[in-house]
Amino acid sequence: MNDYFKHESAYVDDGASVGRGTKIWHFSHVQSGASIGENCSLGQNVNISNNVIIGNGVKIQNNVSVYEGVEVEDHAFLGPSVVFTNDLTPRAEYPKGHDNYLKTMIKKGATIGANATIVCGNTIGEYAMVGAGAVVTKDVKPFTLVVGNPAYEYAKVDEKGNIIKKF
Ligand SMILES: CC(C)(COP(=O)(O)OP(=O)(O)OC[C@H]1O[C@@H](n2cnc3c(N)ncnc32)[C@H](O)[C@@H]1OP(=O)(O)O)[C@@H](O)C(=O)NCCC(=O)NCCS
C-alpha cells in the first residue's frame, strides 16, 4: 500500500521513490531512480526522468518534463509547460551520455513561470522567480525576478512572491 496518491493512468517505475502525501495525476510518469519528496503535486502529463531528485512540497503543473541533470529543491513551483534541457549542444548522431549532462538547480522556494525555458547548466536561486515565457541563459540570483528572452533582472521579490523593488 502506497502512502502517496497515483492516478490509475500514471506510471511509477520500479526503483523510483515517492514520499508520503504526494499526488501524481493523469498520464504522468516517474522513471527509475527518481526520488520525489513528501507532499508534492505532479499535474497532468508530467515526466520525471531517471535519477532526478525532487524535494518536499514541490508543485509541478501540467506538461513538464524534468530531465536527468535537473534537481528541484523543496517548495519550488514549476508552472505549466516549463521546459528543461540537459545538453547545450545536442546532436542526434553523437549523444554525450548522461555523465555529461549539465546540471540545472532549482533552489528552495523558486518559481518558474508558465512556458519558460531553462537552458541547462544554470541555477535558479532561492525564492527567485522566472516570468512566463522567459528563456533563462544565466544563473538567477536569489529573490530576483527575471523576464524576457534572454531573461534579464526585472525586480526583487520576497519569499511570498511580492514584487519589492523594480530595477
Ligand atoms: C513577470 C510577472 C511576475 C510580472 O508581474 P507584474 O510586475 O505584476 O507585471 P506587470 O503586469 O505590472 O507588467 C510590468 C511590465 O513587465 C512586462 N511583463 C510582464 N510579464 C512579463 C513576462 N512574463 N515577460 C516579459 N515581460 C513581462 C509587462 O508587459 C509590463 O511592461 P511595460 O511596463 O512595458 O508595460 C508576471 O507577468 C508573470 O509572468 N508571472 C508568471 C505567471 C505564471 O506563469 N504563473 C504560472 C502559474 S498559473
Side-chain angles (χ1 to χ4, degrees):
M1 175 74 179
N2 294 327
D3 49 9
Y4 64 89
F5 169 81
K6 177 177 79 68
H7 186 264
E8 60 182 346
S9 65
Y11 290 92
V12 175
D13 291 349
D14 291 345
S17 78
V18 181
R20 181 195 309 258
T22 284
K23 294 187 169 70
I24 302 173
W25 293 102
H26 306 61
F27 316 123
S28 288
H29 181 196
V30 178
Q31 294 183 229
S32 186
S35 166
I36 300 178
E38 298 184 353
N39 300 315
C40 294
S41 158
L42 276 59
Q44 183 166 306
N45 191 34
V46 168
N47 170 243
I48 308 296
S49 292
N50 294 313
N51 308 316
V52 164
I53 298 170
I54 307 277
N56 298 316
V58 171
K59 291 202 167 121
I60 306 181
Q61 304 295 92
N62 295 353
N63 305 314
V64 178
S65 289
V66 185
Y67 297 122
E68 196 166 2
V70 178
E71 183 171 340
V72 183
E73 292 189 349
D74 295 351
H75 303 293
F77 181 101
L78 309 181
S81 301
V82 163
V83 174
F84 290 104
T85 57
N86 58 16
D87 183 343
L88 205 54
T89 54
R91 291 291 201 202
E93 258 182 302
Y94 304 102
K96 296 183 180 71
H98 55 83
D99 289 342
N100 294 306
Y101 291 151
L102 293 185
K103 180 103 186 152
T104 297
M105 280 295 305
I106 310 301
K107 302 289 278 185
K108 182 182 175 194
T111 295
I112 316 293
N115 208 35
T117 296
I118 312 298
V119 173
C120 53
N122 293 304
T123 294
I124 312 299
E126 286 193 9
Y127 295 100
M129 190 169 286
V130 174
V135 178
V136 173
T137 58
K138 297 181 204 158
D139 291 348
V140 178
K141 292 182 192 130
F143 296 95
T144 301
L145 167 62
V146 298
V147 297
N149 177 10
Y152 60 91
E153 292 185 354
Y154 178 73
K156 282 284 168 201
V157 284
D158 69 10
E159 190 169 319
K160 290 187 172 169
N162 300 304
I163 292 173
I164 302 302
K165 179 173 167 272
K166 293 187 178 175
F167 295 121

